[in-house]
Amino acid sequence: MNILLAEDDVRLGQLVSHMLKKKGGYRVDWVEQGDDSYDYALASHYDVLILDWMMSGKDGVTVCRELRSAGYCGPILMLTAKDALQDRVEGLDAGADDYLVKPFEMDELLARIRALGRRNFAPIQEESVSFRRFTLNRTSRNLYVDGNHVQLSPKEFQLLDLFLKNRGQVLTRDIILDRIWGYDADVSYKIVDATVKLLRKKLDAELIQSIRGVGYKLDG
C-alpha cells in the first residue's frame, strides 16, 4: 500500500513514517505542509491519506474538503488532538472516512489503515490520457505509442504521468525528486537525469525539453 502522511510535527512525522514502513510494510510519502498534501494526493496514487488537522498553510480539514470537491475518492484518515463531538462531526462532514485522536497507539493506526484499505471507495475505471502519438493508461500503467505497447518501469510511469499532469510547465529537479522518490529519499539529481534519459528513449526525444540549470518540461 502507498500512504501519504501529512503531519507538520517533525518528531511525530518521522516516528509515524518510520513505523508505517517498519511495522506495516507500507510505502510512505511524508509532507509537512497542507498545500503539499493536496498537490501530492492529486499527482500520485495513494491507498490511504493520513491528514493532520492542525497544519501550517492549509489545515487538514480544508485539504480534505478541497480534495473531495476536486473529485478525490480515496480513503482519508484524519489525525487530531481535537476530540470534541463537534470537531469529529466537522472532520467527517469535510469528507474524512475515519478519525483518530492524538495521542494514539501505532497498532490502532495500523488497524484503521487496514480497515480503510478493505473498503471499496470507488468503482474501478479505465483512466487514460492521450497526447500526440501516445496514450498512457493510468489503470493498467501501460504506455502505447501509435497503438503499440511500450514497457515502462514504475519510476518511468510516475515521471511521464507527472509530466502529462503538468504539460508545458517547467518541473525542477527538486520537484521531480519530491514527487517521484520522496523528499527524504537518498537520491541525487543524477538519478533524475538518468530516469528522464531512459524515458526519452521510449518517446520522441524532443518532447521532454531540458531547461538548463533548472529541470525539464514536457512540450505542450
Side-chain angles (χ1 to χ4, degrees):
M1 291 179 66
N2 294 326
I3 294 178
L4 175 62
L5 170 66
E7 171 60 66
D8 65 352
D9 183 317
V10 175
R11 183 177 178 182
L12 181 59
Q14 290 175 337
L15 175 62
V16 173
S17 178
H18 173 74
M19 296 304 292
L20 288 175
K21 294 174 184 176
K22 182 179 179 180
K23 296 189 69 173
Y26 303 131
R27 180 187 178 278
V28 181
D29 288 336
W30 168 39
V31 297
E32 299 176 47
Q33 300 288 327
D35 300 274
D36 290 338
S37 66
Y38 178 88
D39 293 338
Y40 271 62
L42 294 182
S44 302
H45 169 75
Y46 294 101
D47 298 289
V48 176
L49 305 187
I50 302 174
L51 302 178
D52 178 38
W53 185 309
M54 301 299 292
M55 287 187 290
S56 55
K58 292 180 181 177
D59 60 50
V61 172
T62 300
V63 172
C64 184
R65 186 178 293 110
E66 291 184 356
L67 284 172
R68 295 309 190 200
S69 296
Y72 186 83
C73 297
I76 298 176
L77 171 65
M78 192 76 68
L79 298 180
T80 179
K82 298 185 175 185
D83 60 355
L85 176 60
Q86 183 178 350
D87 296 321
R88 294 171 184 262
V89 170
E90 182 180 355
L92 294 172
D93 282 346
D97 299 287
D98 202 354
Y99 192 104
L100 189 57
V101 176
K102 300 176 182 178
F104 53 84
E105 297 291 336
M106 276 303 305
D107 286 343
E108 182 178 5
L109 176 59
L110 291 169
R112 300 286 186 100
I113 291 171
R114 290 192 297 269
L116 288 172
R118 290 192 295 266
R119 292 167 60 181
N120 181 21
F121 284 86
I124 297 175
Q125 298 177 338
E126 288 285 318
E127 184 184 4
S128 297
V129 56
S130 296
F131 179 64
R132 298 191 183 181
R133 301 165 47 228
F134 313 100
T135 298
L136 186 71
N137 187 304
R138 291 185 172 121
T139 304
S140 63
R141 298 199 164 207
N142 288 323
L143 171 66
Y144 298 90
V145 180
D146 294 329
N148 299 311
H149 177 251
V150 176
Q151 187 67 41
L152 293 177
S153 71
K155 294 304 182 188
E156 289 168 353
F157 167 83
Q158 289 178 280
L159 182 59
L160 179 55
D161 195 28
L162 181 63
F163 277 129
L164 286 169
K165 288 176 178 176
N166 297 276
R167 196 178 309 165
Q169 299 182 38
V170 177
L171 298 178
T172 67
R173 288 179 173 85
D174 284 329
I175 288 176
I176 295 173
L177 275 174
D178 283 352
R179 300 294 176 84
I180 307 301
W181 285 271
Y183 74 93
D184 58 345
D186 186 17
V187 175
S188 70
Y189 289 160
K190 290 183 179 179
I191 299 298
V192 174
D193 296 338
T195 306
V196 170
K197 184 177 180 180
L198 290 171
L199 183 59
R200 276 175 166 162
K201 291 181 179 180
K202 300 178 180 182
L203 307 172
D204 291 339
E206 68 274 9
L207 272 181
I208 301 177
Q209 302 174 1
S210 296
I211 309 301
R212 186 176 180 84
V214 179
Y216 299 94
K217 178 179 74 171
L218 181 68
D219 186 10

